[in-house]
Amino acid sequence: MRAWEANIRRVTPYTPGDQPNRPGMIKLNTNENPYPPAPGVEKSLKEFRTDCLRLYPDPKSSVLVEALAERYHVAQDQIFVGVGSDDVLALAFMTFFNSGKPILFPDITYSFYPVWAEEFRIPYETPALDGNFRIVKEDYDRENGGIIFPNPNAPTSLAMGVSDVEDILLHNRDVVVIVDEAYVDFGAESALSLVEKYDNLLVVQTFSKSRSMAGMRIGFAVGNALLIRYLNDVKYSFNSYTMNQLALKLGVEAVLDEAYFQETVAKIIRTREQARERLSELGFRSLDSSTNFLFVTHPEYQARELYEELRKEGIFVRYFDVPRIDQYLRITIGTDEQMEALYAFLEGYKALQRKEV
Ligand code: PMP
């Protein structure tokens, strides 16, 4: 080891899902939306004048903050925006989790949480999900330095009712509680209704899933104005200009088209419920999803083997080689045509397995 290596901040990085780029591939591995963003986004992109790129963007991201404040019926000083919710969450870890006491998040959850905790030297404990992969709210009733969980949880797809979220808040008035609602629009109840009541609640959402804009990188948080001020102080001490001109402009367009948003989400929910049925006919069990993905297992198949066979066919799903969930696959809901191709492959796979037995 070289001498200077002794003083390096060493981290084990988060492993994002593959971003393959094969012609004709069916990409159901990173929970993207299979439909394009709202039509106004493309229109606005076509009208975009590159001359404005000479200038720095508005550090306050005012146009986007205003649109979000109006859409979610909160004051502008209750909104924080960032470069995807990953950026918002990373800054929130840095801002709010400094007590030296362990923060709490579930053992099976978004795998970026332990990475940020380690990067920022935040101790953490991971209460186990129960045998049905549900968050046990009583496990969060103990001394801690803060709490974060996704609702619905990922990769399990299961949602907790807002009264259970409130129960966790009631038992944790002295720390910041972050509810990561990346998938909430696909059928869960949002904790946004609790923001006025609990000044220690931060709700984080993203444009990457329900608004079809993963490639643009926009996320936001809603909370008490004081909480948001602290978050902004850290942001401005790190990088004032996080949101670029184009993201601000196109992000506003996505928020304004409520009808398109509702329609796209409804389409995905419809396909998801059909997928549950079709997969069940093929012998899979899927958890009760409130997201744009299904978490599935099959009593006769090795999940890893199936994942690899699908991959060879250009059908990408997500496999986690992690205890408790290593017999599961996470399948993002695609278009109806993409899902038909998946079922067709699985029919063939089933026939092949029967022959081999
Ligand atoms: N939270 C959860 C639970 C997620 O699954 C993801 C997607 N990887 C994110 C946050 C981050 O999404 P983004 O940065 O695209 O907003």
Side-chain angles (χ1 to χ4, degrees), residues 14 84-86 89 110 150 154 180 182-183 206 208-209 217:
Y14 168 71
S85 54
D86 280 343
L89 291 166
Y110 186 31
D180 175 355
Y183 301 102
T206 178
S208 298
K209 322 289 176 182
R217 314 302 301 129

Short mmCIF file of all heavy atoms in Angstrom, two decimals, residues 14 84-86 89 110 150 154 180 182-183 206 208-209 217, ligand 1:
data_model
loop_
_atom_site.label_atom_id
_atom_site.label_comp_id
_atom_site.label_asym_id
_atom_site.label_seq_id
_atom_site.Cartn_x
_atom_site.Cartn_y
_atom_site.Cartn_z
N TYR A 14 -22.11 1.69 -4.34
CA TYR A 14 -23.42 1.12 -4.69
C TYR A 14 -23.31 0.51 -6.09
O TYR A 14 -22.62 1.07 -6.96
CB TYR A 14 -24.44 2.27 -4.69
CG TYR A 14 -25.79 1.92 -5.29
CD1 TYR A 14 -26.65 1.07 -4.63
CD2 TYR A 14 -26.18 2.48 -6.50
CE1 TYR A 14 -27.89 0.77 -5.18
CE2 TYR A 14 -27.42 2.18 -7.05
CZ TYR A 14 -28.27 1.32 -6.39
OH TYR A 14 -29.50 1.03 -6.93
N GLY A 84 -32.01 13.89 -9.09
CA GLY A 84 -32.55 12.57 -8.78
C GLY A 84 -32.73 12.47 -7.27
O GLY A 84 -32.14 13.25 -6.51
N SER A 85 -33.55 11.51 -6.83
CA SER A 85 -33.72 11.41 -5.37
C SER A 85 -32.46 10.87 -4.71
O SER A 85 -32.25 11.08 -3.52
CB SER A 85 -34.97 10.63 -5.00
OG SER A 85 -34.99 9.38 -5.59
N ASP A 86 -31.59 10.22 -5.46
CA ASP A 86 -30.31 9.80 -4.88
C ASP A 86 -29.53 11.00 -4.32
O ASP A 86 -28.94 10.93 -3.25
CB ASP A 86 -29.44 9.08 -5.92
CG ASP A 86 -29.86 7.62 -6.12
OD1 ASP A 86 -30.59 7.08 -5.27
OD2 ASP A 86 -29.46 7.04 -7.14
N LEU A 89 -31.38 12.28 -1.23
CA LEU A 89 -31.18 11.36 -0.09
C LEU A 89 -29.76 11.46 0.47
O LEU A 89 -29.55 11.49 1.68
CB LEU A 89 -31.49 9.92 -0.51
CG LEU A 89 -32.97 9.61 -0.79
CD1 LEU A 89 -33.12 8.28 -1.53
CD2 LEU A 89 -33.77 9.58 0.51
N TYR A 110 -33.57 -0.51 -0.02
CA TYR A 110 -32.76 0.11 -1.07
C TYR A 110 -31.28 0.04 -0.67
O TYR A 110 -30.88 0.56 0.37
CB TYR A 110 -33.21 1.57 -1.23
CG TYR A 110 -32.57 2.30 -2.38
CD1 TYR A 110 -32.17 1.65 -3.54
CD2 TYR A 110 -32.37 3.69 -2.31
CE1 TYR A 110 -31.60 2.34 -4.60
CE2 TYR A 110 -31.81 4.39 -3.37
CZ TYR A 110 -31.42 3.70 -4.51
OH TYR A 110 -30.86 4.39 -5.55
N PRO A 150 -38.07 3.12 2.60
CA PRO A 150 -38.90 3.43 1.44
C PRO A 150 -40.32 2.95 1.71
O PRO A 150 -40.53 1.93 2.34
CB PRO A 150 -38.29 2.59 0.31
CG PRO A 150 -37.06 1.95 0.86
CD PRO A 150 -37.24 1.91 2.35
N ALA A 154 -38.49 -1.26 -1.35
CA ALA A 154 -37.87 -1.87 -2.52
C ALA A 154 -36.75 -2.78 -1.99
O ALA A 154 -36.09 -2.40 -1.02
CB ALA A 154 -37.27 -0.81 -3.41
N ASP A 180 -38.88 7.49 1.94
CA ASP A 180 -38.44 7.51 0.54
C ASP A 180 -39.59 6.97 -0.32
O ASP A 180 -39.85 5.76 -0.34
CB ASP A 180 -37.18 6.64 0.44
CG ASP A 180 -36.68 6.45 -0.98
OD1 ASP A 180 -37.34 6.91 -1.93
OD2 ASP A 180 -35.61 5.81 -1.13
N ALA A 182 -40.11 6.80 -3.61
CA ALA A 182 -39.77 6.69 -5.03
C ALA A 182 -40.91 6.04 -5.84
O ALA A 182 -41.11 6.38 -7.00
CB ALA A 182 -38.48 5.88 -5.19
N TYR A 183 -41.65 5.11 -5.22
CA TYR A 183 -42.66 4.33 -5.97
C TYR A 183 -44.09 4.64 -5.54
O TYR A 183 -45.01 3.93 -5.92
CB TYR A 183 -42.37 2.83 -5.79
CG TYR A 183 -40.98 2.48 -6.28
CD1 TYR A 183 -39.93 2.28 -5.39
CD2 TYR A 183 -40.71 2.38 -7.64
CE1 TYR A 183 -38.65 1.99 -5.84
CE2 TYR A 183 -39.44 2.09 -8.10
CZ TYR A 183 -38.41 1.90 -7.19
OH TYR A 183 -37.15 1.61 -7.65
N THR A 206 -39.43 11.19 -6.58
CA THR A 206 -38.57 11.27 -7.77
C THR A 206 -39.38 11.41 -9.06
O THR A 206 -40.53 10.99 -9.12
CB THR A 206 -37.69 10.01 -7.87
OG1 THR A 206 -36.90 10.07 -9.05
CG2 THR A 206 -38.52 8.73 -7.93
N SER A 208 -38.14 9.91 -11.66
CA SER A 208 -37.55 8.82 -12.44
C SER A 208 -38.52 7.70 -12.79
O SER A 208 -38.29 6.98 -13.76
CB SER A 208 -36.39 8.19 -11.67
OG SER A 208 -35.37 9.13 -11.45
N LYS A 209 -39.57 7.54 -11.99
CA LYS A 209 -40.45 6.38 -12.21
C LYS A 209 -41.78 6.84 -12.80
O LYS A 209 -42.01 6.69 -13.99
CB LYS A 209 -40.67 5.64 -10.88
CG LYS A 209 -39.46 5.55 -9.98
CD LYS A 209 -38.39 4.63 -10.49
CE LYS A 209 -37.17 4.67 -9.58
NZ LYS A 209 -36.08 3.83 -10.06
N ARG A 217 -32.75 13.12 -14.32
CA ARG A 217 -32.27 13.22 -12.94
C ARG A 217 -32.94 14.37 -12.18
O ARG A 217 -32.37 15.45 -12.01
CB ARG A 217 -30.72 13.37 -12.88
CG ARG A 217 -29.92 12.42 -13.73
CD ARG A 217 -30.21 10.96 -13.42
NE ARG A 217 -29.93 10.60 -12.04
CZ ARG A 217 -30.81 9.96 -11.24
NH1 ARG A 217 -32.02 9.62 -11.68
NH2 ARG A 217 -30.48 9.66 -10.01
N1 PMP B 1 -35.14 5.26 -3.69
C1 PMP B 1 -35.45 4.02 -4.08
C2 PMP B 1 -36.16 3.12 -3.13
C3 PMP B 1 -35.10 3.59 -5.37
O1 PMP B 1 -35.39 2.34 -5.77
C4 PMP B 1 -34.44 4.47 -6.24
C5 PMP B 1 -34.10 4.04 -7.65
N2 PMP B 1 -32.87 3.41 -7.78
C6 PMP B 1 -34.12 5.74 -5.78
C7 PMP B 1 -34.49 6.11 -4.50
C8 PMP B 1 -33.33 6.73 -6.60
O2 PMP B 1 -33.95 7.12 -7.75
P1 PMP B 1 -33.53 8.44 -8.53
O3 PMP B 1 -32.17 8.86 -8.05
O4 PMP B 1 -33.54 8.05 -9.96
O5 PMP B 1 -34.56 9.46 -8.19
#
